[in-house]
Amino acid sequence: MKEKHNTREVILQTATRLFQRQGYNGTGLNQIIEESGAPKGSIYYHFPNGKEEIAIEAISMMRKLVLEGAEKDLTGKDSAAEAFEYYLNNVAAIFDLKSCIDGLSIGLIASETAFTHEQLRYSCEMVFKDLQSQHAQILMQYGFDREQAEELGITITAMIEGACILSITYQDGNPLRRIAKQLSLLLKRSQETQGEKQNGNE
Amino acid sequence: MKEKHNTREVILQTATRLFQRQGYNGTGLNQIIEESGAPKGSIYYHFPNGKEEIAIEAISMMRKLVLEGAEKDLTGKDSAAEAFEYYLNNVAAIFDLKSCIDGLSIGLIASETAFTHEQLRYSCEMVFKDLQSQHAQILMQYGFDREQAEELGITITAMIEGACILSITYQDGNPLRRIAKQLSLLLKRSQETQGEKQNGNE
DNA sequence: GTCTATATGACGATAGAC
DNA sequence: GTCTATCGTCATATAGAC
């Protein structure tokens, strides 16, 4: 019954949600306190370095949520194409109920802070690198060779991140569904080409 | 020699640059005035509706710059794959000199304002739709049929937007160069498949 | 751990002189 | 068209009581 950490945790969860929806500059500490219901006086006790410290930990939380969510959807399917199609269609469904995009898209905070907050930029860079690695790992599990998996890892990360922006802007999940389909085709064809390579073609 | 519009124009160009680098919430009117060197008292004369009006016109300027830049790079090549590879490698080069990303990536302002400023969200949505259309048009010029061109148009838009985020975060153009290569492959294979389709396969 | 009160500054916006 | 002055609001952050 360690309800001692509750306040800190609640602040962090609320901050994570707000940073994703409104960005770093668009979210004030007051709003975080109000929406979290946390005690007003507690924020600088739990986060002595203020807003930037909260953001760093929020990014870390987003990282955890995205990686775990992806892992769950991407494993145990029959092929890489099927796995990513399943994953992206699930993400699309989240965007349809436009209230909640928890654990998605650090693209906003990344591009906001790239030129102005080096520490936050670096945190985001690490998350993107983790995503690329995860995608590459998954592809190798489905039979891609390392080189091609790494090439595709960054491509998939970019496609997903871009599709999230489009879905947020359009306020529906259709762009993600389109990307799901195209990525599925790309993966099928890549795997065929890879096979040809092994059989001596080029 | 109509130097009368100069002030308005200078404000708009500076605002466009700053909004792209720092976002809508991260850019203050003071900064726009200071960096543009425009007269301090003139901003609400030229833009009676304040910051939001400036942003709307800035988005319109970004739209123009992106569409024209893309058009120039994408036409007159031997194939769609070659055209987009050329275009994206040029964009990548711009990201390497990380000072200037003029005319690129409305993704930041789009995701910042999607939930909070309906008019700005709508402006961004229209720009994305224009980009999709342009990409589809270009593909048709290189021989894609309409249906596939439109499917790919949104995919290409997402890939580019996502790759821009990665390049901004990593502070170099390499993600864009990787995407250029992968997109080139995707387009080649798509066009081959399309040929097979027409020959009765599927 | 939490509270209030407050310091300090930036913000967007307006009014009115010139 | 441009200027100054200023309003009101918000922001982050700190100090000190409880």
Side-chain angles (χ1 to χ4, degrees), chain A residues 22-164:
Chain A
Q22 309 172 341
Y24 182 74
N25 295 315
T27 304
L29 296 183
N30 290 337
Q31 193 185 9
I32 295 175
I33 287 301
E34 279 161 23
E35 296 207 12
S36 69
K40 294 204 176 195
S42 63
I43 200 163
Y44 278 93
Y45 171 80
H46 293 292
F47 304 93
N49 288 1
K51 191 179 185 180
E52 191 152 335
E53 183 178 352
I54 298 180
I56 289 174
E57 302 231 23
I59 291 169
S60 162
M61 178 171 278
M62 298 177 202
R63 175 187 171 282
K64 192 166 168 291
L65 290 172
V66 179
L67 288 175
E68 283 177 2
E71 182 78 20
K72 194 170 61 63
D73 285 353
L74 288 170
T75 49
K77 300 292 180 297
D78 288 338
S79 69
E82 192 189 320
F84 278 99
E85 203 167 351
Y86 176 76
Y87 171 49
L88 288 181
N89 280 320
N90 277 356
V91 177
I94 296 175
F95 272 90
D96 286 332
L97 354 150
K98 58 189 164 207
S99 54
C100 133
I101 53 167
D102 298 343
L104 272 172
S105 182
I106 65 158
L108 170 52
I109 191 164
S111 32
E112 261 186 309
T113 60
F115 295 103
T116 52
H117 295 77
E118 174 55 22
Q119 220 176 133
L120 296 180
R121 183 203 67 76
Y122 181 74
S123 300
C124 292
E125 180 177 348
M126 290 303 104
V127 178
F128 282 137
K129 295 252 164 87
D130 284 342
L131 289 176
Q132 286 177 222
S133 296
Q134 188 193 37
H135 295 149
Q137 287 283 350
I138 297 281
L139 290 178
M140 290 193 291
Q141 283 173 24
Y142 286 107
F144 283 75
D145 59 45
R146 174 174 299 274
E147 190 191 357
Q148 191 158 21
E150 285 174 358
E151 277 278 333
L152 285 169
I154 188 167
T155 303
I156 293 173
T157 306
M159 283 178 84
I160 295 176
E161 209 59 41
C164 283

Side-chain angles (χ1 to χ4, degrees), chain B residues 39-41 45:
Chain B
K40 295 205 175 196
Y45 171 81

Side-chain angles (χ1 to χ4, degrees), chain B residues 157-197:
Chain B
T157 306
M159 283 178 84
I160 295 176
E161 208 59 43
C164 284
I165 291 182
L166 294 184
S167 277
I168 288 171
T169 305
Y170 294 179
Q171 303 194 319
D172 66 59
N174 290 332
L176 273 158
R177 274 181 275 270
R178 296 281 197 101
I179 265 63
K181 197 173 147 198
Q182 290 294 320
L183 177 57
S184 177
L185 288 173
L186 172 63
L187 293 177
K188 278 178 197 157
R189 289 177 195 145
S190 291
Q191 212 152 15
E192 287 164 15
T193 308
Q194 183 172 291
E196 288 170 18
K197 252 180 167 173

